[in-house]
């Protein structure tokens, strides 16, 4: 045993918990468990007061005509009784700056061996769960090179099984000057130098749909980061550009629906939860304010994202 | 006759509908979670925080998949780490002084009898980033495999092995153990190139 192991061994020995302390902590837990059985009722009640808001990503995509078609295809009968998400926008602290977290994530992403991306994969598959009113809904989306997508979402009132989302899925981000979604080729053509990418995203984030240039840029970057086959090099650049956006709130202690700890970054209605140590995207939260047409809040917690060759 | 004992995986899967199943996880893992907390914050704080860890797990663990080893402990350690950080941050704010965000060094020092050893341990661990230090301690103190520790920290298994190797090397060098006479080099897992340590 070397000196390091000797020191670690010595300091690793601690007394076991006493039976009294064990019982006391158990009593506190049991009290919370009893409360957990009943706490969903108020959420249902308040959810009934919410305005119906179809999925934001679907509406924002492309032209108005396209958006309408997609909305009909994916959300055929929206009611006003959608339950509220179980994981609302996280509380924020200012212990670290968003720029620090985003640059850490950029550095971690740099180490990913797939720097060239996945240009030859057949589909990009993103699997997530959404917890609403104590129930877990599964969502899978497969996005093809041209932006077409197949969606299977147990929350939406869809027929059973995968459903085509025409003409574009909710995966690939939009740039303001270009109607519709980006194809994979267009995504891979984006510059991976932050100095070039930043002005491009700012220039094309037109329309101020999210209320300010900063929010619009953050929303554009979010669209390009979530559920897309963006290469690690592009993701690194996107994190770097995002680090320049002022006003992003940080919560280092966000625990997602899978129990993973991540850092939540919020600006406007958009929150990304990431693991800065790996650059991995853990969750995407959208609480776009009521009144934005075609939008309802959601929290997608990602269980898998990656290329696949098989159809759903 | 003994009834069926549900696995951690089965319990985790049932939690959304049966929050009381957290009690079974508590009976199984509370002692280990307590030791995790006590090693980093001392026994008194560990007693205070133990229930918080399982309550936070109840809130956050609506649907959790156990580590492939089948144990819920890596997940619980991840939550315990988060609870500890929050506690240390609150203490730091109350005292108006900066504190190590993941370690109460007084509690660690109390387990070493000689002043010299305390300085040695600090010199070994202070050369590591917080993430690498936690990785090292999860393996050394909690007895996790590198793959299980990777889950706690949310990093890949390969990265965990590489970083653990690097962390041990740096800590040993800080202690003056196994330091080569020429400038130290290490192999990066990703590129295979040698670079200064």
């Amino acid at each position: 045993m070397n000196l390091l192991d000797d020191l670690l061994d010595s300091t690793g020995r601690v007394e076991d918990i006493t039976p009294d302390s064990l019982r006391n902590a158990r009593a506190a837990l049991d009290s919370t468990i009893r409360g957990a059985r009943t706490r969903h009722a108020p959420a249902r009640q308040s959810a009934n007061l919410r305005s119906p808001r179809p999925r934001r990503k679907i509406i924002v995509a492309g032209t108005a005509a396209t958006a309408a078609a997609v909305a009909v295809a994916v959300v055929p009968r929206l009611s006003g009784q959608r339950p509220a998400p179980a994981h609302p926008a996280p509380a924020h602290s200012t212990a670290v700056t968003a720029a620090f977290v985003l640059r850490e994530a950029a550095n971690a992403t740099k180490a990913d061996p797939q720097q060239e991306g996945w240009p030859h994969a057949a589909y990009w598959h993103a699997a997530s769960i959404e917890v609403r009113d104590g129930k877990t809904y599964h969502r899978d989306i497969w996005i093809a090179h041209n932006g077409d997508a197949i969606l299977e979402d147990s929350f939406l009132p869809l027929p059973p099984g995968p459903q085509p989302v025409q003409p574009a899925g909710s995966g690939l981000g939009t740039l303001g000057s270009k109607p519709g979604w980006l194809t994979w080729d267009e995504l891979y053509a984006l510059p991976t130098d932050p100095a070039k990418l930043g002005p491009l995203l700012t220039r094309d984030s037109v329309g101020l749909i999210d209320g300010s240039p900063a929010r619009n840029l953050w929303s554009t970057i979010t669209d390009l980061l979530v559920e897309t086959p963006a290469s690690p090099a592009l993701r690194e650049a996107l994190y770097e550009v995002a680090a320049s956006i002022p006003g992003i709130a940080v919560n280092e202690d966000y625990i997602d629906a899978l129990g993973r700890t991540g850092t939540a970054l919020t600006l406007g209605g958009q929150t990304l939860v990431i693991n800065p140590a790996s650059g991995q995207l853990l969750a995407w939260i959208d609480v776009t304010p009521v009144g934005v047409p075609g939008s309802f809040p959601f929290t997608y917690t990602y269980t898998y994202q990656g290329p696949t060759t098989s159809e759903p | 006759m003994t009834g069926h004992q549900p696995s951690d995986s089965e319990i985790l899967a049932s939690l959304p509908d049966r929050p009381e199943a957290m009690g079974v996880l508590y009976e199984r893992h509370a002692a280990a979670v307590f030791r995790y907390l006590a090693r980093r914050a001392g026994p008194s704080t560990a007693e205070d925080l133990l229930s918080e860890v399982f309550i936070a797990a109840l809130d956050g663990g609506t649907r959790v998949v156990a580590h492939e080893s089948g144990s819920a402990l890596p997940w619980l350690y991840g939550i315990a780490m988060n609870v500890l950080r929050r506690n240390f941050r609150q203490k730091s704010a109350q005292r108006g002084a900066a504190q190590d965000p993941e370690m109460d060094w007084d509690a660690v020092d109390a387990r070493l009898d000689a002043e010299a050893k305390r300085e040695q341990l600090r010199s070994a661990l202070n050369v590591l980033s917080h993430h690498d230090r936690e990785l090292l301690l999860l393996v050394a103190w909690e007895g996790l495999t590198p793959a299980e520790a990777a889950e706690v920290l949310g990093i890949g298994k390969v990265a965990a092995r590489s970083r653990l190797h690097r962390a041990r090397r740096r800590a040993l060098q800080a202690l003056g153990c196994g330091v080569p006479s020429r400038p130290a080099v290490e192999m990066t897992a990703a590129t295979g190139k040698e670079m200064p340590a």
Side-chain angles (χ1 to χ4, degrees):
Chain A
M1 183 177 282
N2 59 42
L3 178 56
L4 176 64
D5 291 327
D6 183 41
L7 289 166
L8 292 172
D9 184 58
S10 299
T11 49
R13 291 188 212 131
V14 291
E15 297 287 329
D16 280 333
I17 190 171
T18 64
D20 279 350
S21 297
L22 197 61
R23 274 193 297 273
N24 290 340
R26 175 66 197 261
L29 173 64
D30 286 345
S31 174
T32 303
I33 289 172
R34 283 191 292 274
R37 290 180 185 142
T38 57
R39 68 183 168 199
H40 296 314
R44 282 198 191 95
Q45 192 174 24
S46 63
N48 288 340
L49 302 176
R50 288 173 178 269
S51 300
R53 301 206 287 176
R55 194 149 299 197
R56 172 190 174 276
K57 287 293 295 179
I58 294 163
I59 290 301
V60 171
T63 63
T66 296
V70 175
V72 169
V74 179
V75 195
R77 287 184 300 278
L78 283 171
S79 74
Q81 298 180 350
R82 293 190 176 280
H87 293 264
H92 302 122
S93 71
T94 54
V96 298
T97 65
F100 178 86
V101 172
L102 287 160
R103 292 205 172 97
E104 194 180 356
N107 283 331
T109 306
K110 192 184 301 180
D112 194 313
Q114 279 284 356
Q115 279 295 298
E116 301 303 319
W118 301 265
H120 304 299
Y123 294 94
W124 187 258
H125 177 204
S128 59
I129 61 167
E130 187 173 21
V131 181
R132 288 177 180 268
D133 204 17
K135 291 183 180 176
T136 300
Y137 299 92
H138 293 263
R139 177 174 177 275
D140 286 88
I141 187 161
W142 292 262
I143 301 156
H145 277 245
N146 64 357
D148 287 359
I150 302 293
L151 178 70
E152 191 167 11
D153 190 329
S154 61
F155 171 66
L156 294 174
L158 296 170
Q163 300 297 317
V165 186
Q166 296 293 338
S170 70
L172 299 184
T174 53
L175 291 179
S177 64
K178 177 189 181 300
W181 301 93
L182 299 182
T183 65
W184 286 37
D185 288 343
E186 290 167 330
L187 188 75
Y188 284 121
L190 290 175
T192 56
D193 177 353
K196 295 178 180 172
L197 181 64
L200 175 69
L201 299 183
T202 305
R203 184 196 70 195
D204 283 349
S205 295
V206 296
L208 300 183
I209 190 170
D210 290 288
S212 74
R215 289 184 179 195
N216 228 42
L217 179 57
W218 174 242
S219 182
T220 299
I221 289 173
T222 299
D223 284 348
L224 290 166
L225 280 171
V226 298
E227 299 182 355
T228 82
S231 68
L234 178 58
R235 284 190 286 125
E236 178 193 348
L238 289 166
Y239 281 135
E240 287 286 354
V241 174
S244 69
I245 300 176
I248 298 177
V250 181
N251 173 15
E252 292 179 85
D253 300 323
Y254 186 84
I255 298 178
D256 73 10
L258 295 170
R260 301 172 298 190
T261 301
T263 300
L265 302 160
T266 303
L267 185 63
Q270 297 270 345
T271 297
L272 290 182
V273 183
I274 63 174
N275 178 351
S278 64
Q280 182 191 7
L281 175 69
L282 303 182
W284 175 29
I285 303 166
D286 188 329
V287 290
T288 305
V290 175
V292 174
S295 177
F296 69 81
F298 59 79
T299 298
Y300 296 148
T301 303
Y302 291 99
T303 56
Y304 173 79
Q305 283 215 59
T308 180
T309 54
S310 56
E311 294 184 14
Chain B
M1 195 171 85
T2 309
H4 170 66
Q5 295 294 315
S7 66
D8 281 8
S9 299
E10 289 171 328
I11 292 171
L12 290 174
S14 72
L15 276 178
D17 301 320
R18 295 181 61 245
E20 64 272 21
M22 184 60 79
V24 181
L25 286 185
Y26 180 88
E27 295 301 326
R28 285 182 188 171
H29 300 304
V33 173
F34 172 82
R35 286 193 293 273
Y36 174 94
L37 296 167
R39 285 173 180 129
R40 290 157 180 79
S44 176
T45 303
E47 285 178 7
D48 293 341
L49 297 182
L50 180 61
S51 62
E52 280 190 37
V53 172
F54 285 87
I55 290 169
L58 197 60
D59 287 342
T62 307
R63 182 177 179 274
V64 179
V65 179
H67 183 264
E68 59 191 27
S69 68
S71 173
L73 255 182
W75 173 62
L76 290 169
Y77 284 150
I79 294 169
M81 181 170 66
N82 190 48
V83 168
L84 263 185
R85 280 180 185 160
R86 187 179 299 125
N87 178 264
F88 286 152
R89 191 176 305 143
Q90 287 168 350
K91 283 182 177 174
S92 180
Q94 288 162 4
R95 293 171 182 167
Q99 169 162 350
D100 188 315
E102 293 168 356
M103 189 82 74
D104 180 345
W105 280 100
D106 290 340
V108 179
D109 288 348
R111 303 197 294 275
L112 287 170
D113 50 7
E115 183 74 23
K117 282 190 173 180
R118 296 173 185 174
E119 290 176 8
Q120 284 176 323
L121 183 66
R122 287 187 191 222
S123 69
L125 297 186
N126 280 344
V127 296
L128 307 178
S129 68
H130 286 163
H131 250 85
D132 285 356
R133 183 180 73 186
E134 185 61 17
L135 178 61
L136 179 68
L137 296 181
L138 282 167
V139 173
W141 282 355
E142 266 54 63
L144 295 190
T145 65
E148 289 170 328
E151 174 162 312
V152 177
L153 298 171
I155 59 177
K157 297 178 199 171
V158 175
R161 280 195 293 272
S162 168
R163 288 168 66 165
L164 180 63
H165 176 72
R166 182 182 62 191
R168 284 188 59 83
R169 232 185 126 97
R170 287 186 175 161
L172 281 166
Q173 285 171 356
L175 289 170
C177 303
V179 180
S181 56
R182 62 189 172 76
V185 292
E186 67 178 19
M187 197 75 78
T188 65
T191 65
K193 294 176 182 172
E194 284 188 335
M195 59 181 291

